[in-house]
């Protein structure tokens, strides 16, 4: 238990403590009170990072949930080769973020496969108009595999007598899905939504790798966590970075709480 | 309307019964016509092919020479493993792969040991404050990594009490990834499904707490142990964030594969065959592990999804 205290509980307190200091490479340079938090309010780059993160979350979460649910229905259907299809749809989630991002950088490069197919010469990650959307598409695809597994487990937890009743009524496949399956998946929807939103708000790896750690071009791929990282390790301002961490945590926590209030505790349908 | 059971609990039971979680046969509506069936399969195979396209393309590229990569010939003119040879030797990826393997195996070992021991204690031992401690452990699942980034880094630069600088060391990295509350919770759930008779028999034989855990409970929980070990290994093998924070500033000889890939991309952006070879190297072992152990793998992923 000491491990948990040391690695999780203690750092929270320590992090909040650091956020009240001007903390550089040599440690504390003096207590500054709420100055770090006050600076956050007027920091336009931080606002830009927040905006990027919110755009990312609003786009990626519905996309990955829809794709995950669709592939889960496919794998759960009365077809042959379910093991194969599950492996195929899960594969992108299995790959390390660095490897899949490197592959995406290659395919979306100016003379890459995508441009060869659609015709064009845009560097998708190098253009500030498309860089963030390209990361969003990449991650909606790669994360949908895990979402699929969650939905699959949810689908399998639905008692079979429900479907038997529907078969007696000879309801159409479409009707069964919307009237029975979709509502009965409510606990899964809730759980998947919470996990997806938290995951999306923490996006970092792909943004770091495509932009070589800069969040560029012109801040278009700067996410909240990437800004936190840069503040700590590029600007060497640990106090300010800790304040960003606390702010991001507060945002994630509030959104999770709101989700919980909106949809209620996942309970039996 | 029938109550829907908790998916995570269903998965634990399926795993205990030796079934493949998420693929258990349930009665479903078959497709009516033969033409319709064919169409469905064609569409699905097309979709699966689309999913594999990036990997196939990157694999084919890894067999090409650099000048070929600007063309779009599917098949390389002279397929060879030159790019693999180069990344493994000239670009130090053999070292990165060894680091990734060693670190992931070490972390999986500690994670299995600590999460099963803790899970067993929470499942069986009666001690004061157990509920409070358990909630405290579970609440760590809610703490996002970004809140921990700065304090953990500061803590590692000068570790409390021993004042040792762990940044850039293997030990520091292992320490941070030591155990996860999700795995502890999963182990506890699994231990709860095991009847108490086994332990009572062991106690009559004079076995103590630790011996019962090691000789009786751990073997009985083998499927759960396998799931935790595999998932923990995969998590460490693929991890980028903490590897970057803790190992990224130190000696490049300590890099893991994901760090090596990111570094290579920064420095030699367009050496595509080599970059793709490195990516395939990082992907292949996990793909093989998945194919062999998918039942445990899937159980681990799904049950890691417990509520905080």
């Amino acid at each position: 238990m000491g491990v948990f205290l040391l690695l999780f509980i203690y750092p929270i307190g320590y992090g909040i403590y650091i956020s009240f200091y001007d903390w550089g490479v040599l440690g504390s340079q003096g207590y500054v009170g709420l100055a770090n938090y006050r600076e956050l309010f007027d920091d336009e780059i931080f606002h830009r990072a927040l905006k990027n993160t919110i755009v990312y979350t609003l786009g990626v979460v519905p996309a990955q949930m829809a794709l995950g649910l669709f592939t889960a229905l496919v794998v759960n259907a009365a077809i042959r080769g379910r093991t194969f299809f599950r492996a195929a749809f899960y594969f992108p989630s299995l790959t390390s973020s660095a490897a899949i991002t490197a592959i995406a950088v290659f395919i979306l490069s100016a003379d890459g496969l995508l441009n060869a197919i659609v015709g064009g010469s845009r560097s998708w990650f190098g253009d500030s108009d498309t860089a963030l959307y390209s990361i969003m598409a990449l991650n909606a695809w790669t994360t949908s595999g895990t979402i699929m597994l969650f939905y699959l487990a949810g689908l399998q937890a639905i008692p079979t007598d429900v479907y038997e009743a529907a078969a007696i009524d000879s309801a159409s496949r479409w009707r069964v899905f919307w009237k029975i399956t979709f509502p009965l998946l409510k606990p899964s929807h809730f759980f998947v939504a919470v996990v997806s939103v938290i995951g999306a708000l923490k996006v970092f790896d792909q943004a770091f790798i495509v932009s070589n750690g800069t969040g560029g071009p012109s801040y278009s791929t700067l996410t909240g966590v990437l800004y936190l990282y840069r503040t700590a390790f590029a600007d060497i301002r640990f106090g300010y970075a800790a304040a960003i961490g606390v702010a991001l945590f507060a945002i994630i926590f509030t959104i999770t709480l709101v989700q919980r209030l909106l949809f209620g505790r996942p309970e039996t349908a | 309307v029938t109550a829907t059971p908790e998916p995570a609990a269903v998965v634990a039971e399926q795993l205990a019964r030796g079934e493949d979680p998420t693929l258990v046969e349930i009665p479903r509506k078959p497709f009516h016509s033969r033409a319709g069936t064919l169409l469905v399969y064609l569409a699905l195979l097309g979709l699966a092919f689309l999913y594999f396209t990036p990997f196939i393309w990157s694999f084919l590229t890894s067999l090409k020479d650099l000048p070929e990569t600007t063309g779009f010939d599917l098949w390389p003119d002279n397929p060879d493993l030159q790019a693999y040879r180069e990344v493994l030797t000239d670009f130090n990826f053999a070292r990165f792969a060894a680091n990734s393997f060693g670190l992931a195996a070490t972390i999986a070992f500690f994670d299995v040991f600590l999460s099963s021991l803790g899970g067993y204690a929470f499942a069986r031992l009666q001690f004061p404050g157990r509920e409070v401690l358990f909630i405290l452990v579970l609440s760590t699942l809610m703490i996002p990594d970004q809140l921990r980034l700065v304090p953990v880094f500061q803590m590692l630069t000068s570790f409390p009490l021993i004042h040792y600088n762990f940044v850039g060391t293997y030990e520091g990295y292992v320490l941070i990834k030591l155990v996860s509350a999700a795995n502890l919770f999963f182990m506890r759930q699994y231990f709860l499904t095991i009847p108490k008779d086994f332990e009572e028999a062991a106690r009559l034989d004079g076995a103590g707490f630790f011996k019962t855990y090691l000789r009786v409970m751990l073997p009985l929980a083998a499927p759960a142990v396998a799931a935790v070990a595999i998932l923990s290994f995969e998590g460490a093998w693929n991890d980028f964030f903490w590897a970057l924070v803790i190992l990224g500033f130190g000696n490049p000889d300590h890099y893991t594969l994901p760090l090596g890939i990111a570094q290579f991309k920064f420095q030699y952006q367009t050496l595509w065959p080599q970059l793709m070879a490195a990516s395939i190297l990082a992907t292949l072992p996990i793909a093989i592990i998945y194919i062999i152990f998918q039942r445990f793998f899937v159980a681990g992923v799904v049950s890691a999804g417990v509520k905080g």
Side-chain angles (χ1 to χ4, degrees), chain A residues 73-179:
Chain A
L73 289 169
V74 166
V75 174
N76 201 45
I79 54 167
R80 283 171 196 282
R82 291 163 69 209
T83 313
F84 166 77
F85 285 113
R86 185 181 65 179
F89 299 145
Y90 185 58
F91 198 62
S93 295
L94 198 62
T95 316
S96 92
S97 53
I100 196 94
T101 308
I103 292 171
V105 165
F106 173 51
I107 288 176
L108 299 190
S109 68
D111 50 4
L113 184 62
L114 183 69
N115 281 336
I117 293 169
V118 302
S121 58
R122 188 195 287 271
S123 167
W124 294 85
F125 286 123
D127 185 327
S128 60
D129 290 336
T130 53
L132 185 64
Y133 297 111
S134 303
I135 295 176
M136 287 164 64
L138 168 67
N139 286 7
W141 177 60
T142 57
T143 48
S144 69
T146 310
I147 305 291
M148 172 191 74
L149 290 187
F150 289 143
Y151 269 129
L152 259 178
L155 284 171
Q156 295 235 312
I158 296 177
T160 50
D161 49 2
V162 180
Y163 290 110
E164 281 154 18
I168 293 167
D169 290 350
S170 68
S172 77
R173 204 181 298 276
W174 186 249
R175 235 180 104 78
V176 170
F177 173 71
W178 283 112
K179 294 287 173 191

Side-chain angles (χ1 to χ4, degrees), chain A residues 52-66 133 136-137 140 200:
Chain A
N52 286 341
T53 309
I54 290 165
V55 168
Y56 174 91
T57 305
L58 290 178
V60 167
V61 170
Q64 74 189 32
M65 283 179 73
Y133 297 111
M136 287 164 64

Side-chain angles (χ1 to χ4, degrees), chain A residues 180-235:
Chain A
I180 301 177
T181 315
F182 194 80
L184 280 181
L185 281 175
K186 193 184 159 198
S188 299
H189 295 316
F190 174 80
F191 172 70
V192 166
V194 169
V195 172
S196 305
V197 168
I198 292 177
L201 292 172
K202 284 158 61 167
V203 59
F204 174 81
D205 300 4
Q206 296 79 6
F208 183 91
I209 293 170
V210 302
S211 69
N212 292 359
T214 62
S218 52
Y219 301 121
S220 60
T221 60
L222 189 72
T223 66
V225 184
L226 184 51
Y227 186 52
L228 165 70
Y229 176 90
R230 288 191 57 78
T231 306
F233 298 114
D235 305 343

